[in-house]
Amino acid sequence: MAFELPKLDYPNNALEPHIDAMTMEIHHDRHHNTYTTNLNNAIKDTALEGKSIEDILSNLSAVPENTRGAVNFNGGGYDNHCIFWKNMKPNGGGEPTGPLADAIRTAFGDFAKFKEELSKAAVGVQGSGWGWLVTKKGSGAVSIKAMPNQTSPRTEGLTPLLGVDVWEHAYYLKYQNKRPDYVGAWWNTINWADVAARFAAAK
Ligand code: MN3
């Protein structure tokens, strides 16, 4: 069973004014679709076919060398964007509650400090990449991780909880070179229930 481009849970314009409809359309229908197609092409007729994306990315060293680069890039691109769309919702934002909020307080002191640190990590990515809130399975602890290009935190044994895509395709139509403005606006889209569910599942 090949990987499929997931449908968005909301219309393309649902995250406006923070993320514009045209950016969502191009980002989901073209960019995410291309990662999906290229991932399927890379694993076709190999032992990876039929495995979960978590399994593939968590065991990247087991992927044959001739396809490892393509699987890292397109598999990460497929998985990262699946998480990214779910991490957002219309009228999102605010702050988390419950065990996730507690873990954030333990790691960063308070929510404002966490927001500052994740924003700094994301804005500071050189070229293309992602800023992530991650956990190590079973630890109950969270931390921040910046990753280059489409490389998944899973390749380092970490579980991605909340990600912000800082590739230019994620923001350039509306924000041009102003990545900090895009990251600032992205906070207003976060679906904390989704992030908390990922954290609970990894505990
Ligand atoms: Mn992207």
Side-chain angles (χ1 to χ4, degrees):
M1 177 81 178
F3 289 102
E4 282 177 23
L5 179 69
K7 281 201 166 54
L8 292 175
D9 294 333
Y10 40 79
N12 285 335
N13 65 359
L15 303 179
E16 291 197 352
H18 313 297
I19 300 180
D20 61 286
M22 179 67 87
T23 295
M24 288 298 292
E25 184 186 328
I26 296 172
H27 199 174
H28 175 270
D29 297 2
R30 302 191 210 168
H31 289 278
H32 196 186
N33 192 50
T34 300
Y35 297 122
T36 307
T37 301
N38 290 345
L39 169 63
N40 285 326
N41 289 340
I43 64 171
K44 196 171 161 43
D45 301 326
T46 74
L48 299 175
E49 232 178 354
K51 290 195 173 173
S52 72
I53 193 63
E54 293 84 355
D55 207 17
I56 292 172
L57 294 173
S58 304
N59 299 287
L60 201 64
S61 58
V63 175
E65 216 176 324
N66 61 340
T67 52
R68 195 179 302 149
V71 170
N72 180 49
F73 186 75
N74 296 296
Y78 170 76
D79 185 44
N80 292 342
H81 289 87
C82 288
I83 298 167
F84 186 56
W85 311 132
K86 292 279 186 191
N87 276 171
M88 298 189 287
K89 67 168 191 175
N91 305 120
E95 297 185 16
T97 55
L100 175 63
D102 296 341
I104 286 174
R105 260 192 302 275
T106 301
F108 304 100
D110 60 25
F111 183 80
K113 185 69 181 160
F114 158 65
K115 186 172 173 179
E116 184 188 320
E117 292 291 319
L118 180 53
S119 298
K120 198 167 77 182
V123 169
V125 170
Q126 291 187 340
S128 299
W130 292 71
W132 290 103
L133 178 70
V134 299
T135 187
K136 201 168 171 64
K137 242 177 207 149
S139 74
V142 295
S143 58
I144 285 169
K145 187 85 194 169
M147 298 297 291
N149 299 307
Q150 296 295 358
T151 299
S152 168
R154 299 191 203 279
T155 62
E156 299 189 7
L158 301 165
T159 300
L161 303 174
L162 171 68
V164 56
D165 185 345
V166 293
W167 281 60
E168 286 183 346
H169 68 225
Y171 64 86
Y172 218 80
L173 288 181
K174 183 177 169 76
Y175 296 95
Q176 296 85 45
N177 60 320
K178 299 186 285 284
R179 188 190 282 184
D181 291 4
Y182 154 69
V183 171
W186 164 80
W187 286 96
N188 298 312
T189 70
I190 297 176
N191 180 354
W192 285 111
D194 179 70
V195 185
R198 293 175 193 280
F199 181 58
K203 263 181 130 175

